[in-house]
Amino acid sequence: MKTRWILAAVAVLMFIGIGVVNAMMPAPNPDKLWRFITHESAYDTWGFWGDHEGLQSGAAPHGPYHKVYVNKRGLYSMTAPAQYGTLIVKENYGDEMGKDLKAVTVMYKVRGYNPEAGDWYWVKYSPKGVAETYGRPQGCINCHASLADNDYIMVHDFGVGK
């Protein structure tokens, strides 16, 4: 009987904890998201996926070089789909030194936002944080859909189909 009460208490605390963490995440809004990733949880303090660390070669439309930062939810996602609340921030560079920042692009996994495309919310910001494209951009969705089985993520392999 005592074990049941302990398990019930643990379950309630976990549920409350998940609710608190979700409440801290920003709404799918470009201004709120920019503030979150640059001030409240600075993305440049996050980690890299082990199979995509540091400055990497890239391709259009993101530019010839990029760095991809991932928050803890994304890093702790071991299989596709990524956990809700995952944030992936890509700094898009025009040079191999990582000094010519052209844009910052973001994928944000929001429960119920866009079920047809993995519940991802996309944003392309200028280097100064001005949202140029956001929401459900068909260009982003069409390109990333080629890896729908990998939860639309192109720079990290969850091992889908292996």
Side-chain angles (χ1 to χ4, degrees):
M1 185 70 159
K2 187 176 182 180
T3 303
R4 285 186 190 172
W5 282 106
I6 291 171
L7 290 174
V10 168
V12 167
L13 289 174
M14 286 177 60
F15 182 75
I16 290 170
I18 290 169
V20 168
V21 169
N22 286 337
M24 295 183 333
M25 296 301 292
N29 169 287
D31 297 328
K32 290 178 182 180
L33 185 57
W34 182 257
R35 173 125 183 96
F36 183 81
I37 66 173
T38 59
H39 292 89
E40 296 171 35
S41 179
Y43 74 84
D44 60 356
T45 65
W46 302 349
F48 300 109
W49 275 307
D51 57 351
H52 204 83
E53 294 186 40
L55 192 65
Q56 300 282 320
S57 294
H62 294 284
Y65 298 94
H66 62 256
K67 285 184 190 175
V68 178
Y69 298 89
V70 185
N71 70 350
K72 285 184 181 178
R73 288 212 185 164
L75 292 174
Y76 293 158
S77 297
M78 296 294 126
T79 60
Q83 296 177 39
Y84 285 103
T86 291
L87 278 161
I88 304 166
V89 177
K90 180 184 280 189
E91 293 180 335
N92 305 279
Y93 292 99
D95 70 333
E96 63 189 35
M97 302 302 291
K99 293 183 180 180
D100 183 24
L101 183 63
K102 297 292 189 185
V104 175
T105 51
V106 179
M107 288 177 65
Y108 177 26
K109 183 97 169 177
V110 180
R111 183 182 307 276
Y113 176 76
N114 187 9
E116 300 81 25
D119 276 338
W120 289 104
Y121 173 79
W122 278 275
V123 185
K124 177 184 179 185
Y125 295 102
S126 73
K128 294 187 181 206
V130 176
E132 298 174 353
T133 303
Y134 57 90
R136 299 175 180 96
Q138 250 349 103
C140 299
I141 293 169
N142 291 345
C143 186
H144 285 255
S146 66
L147 286 168
D149 289 346
N150 200 58
D151 200 19
Y152 295 77
I153 296 170
M154 302 186 91
V155 299
H156 171 65
D157 185 3
F158 284 113
V160 176
K162 289 184 180 177

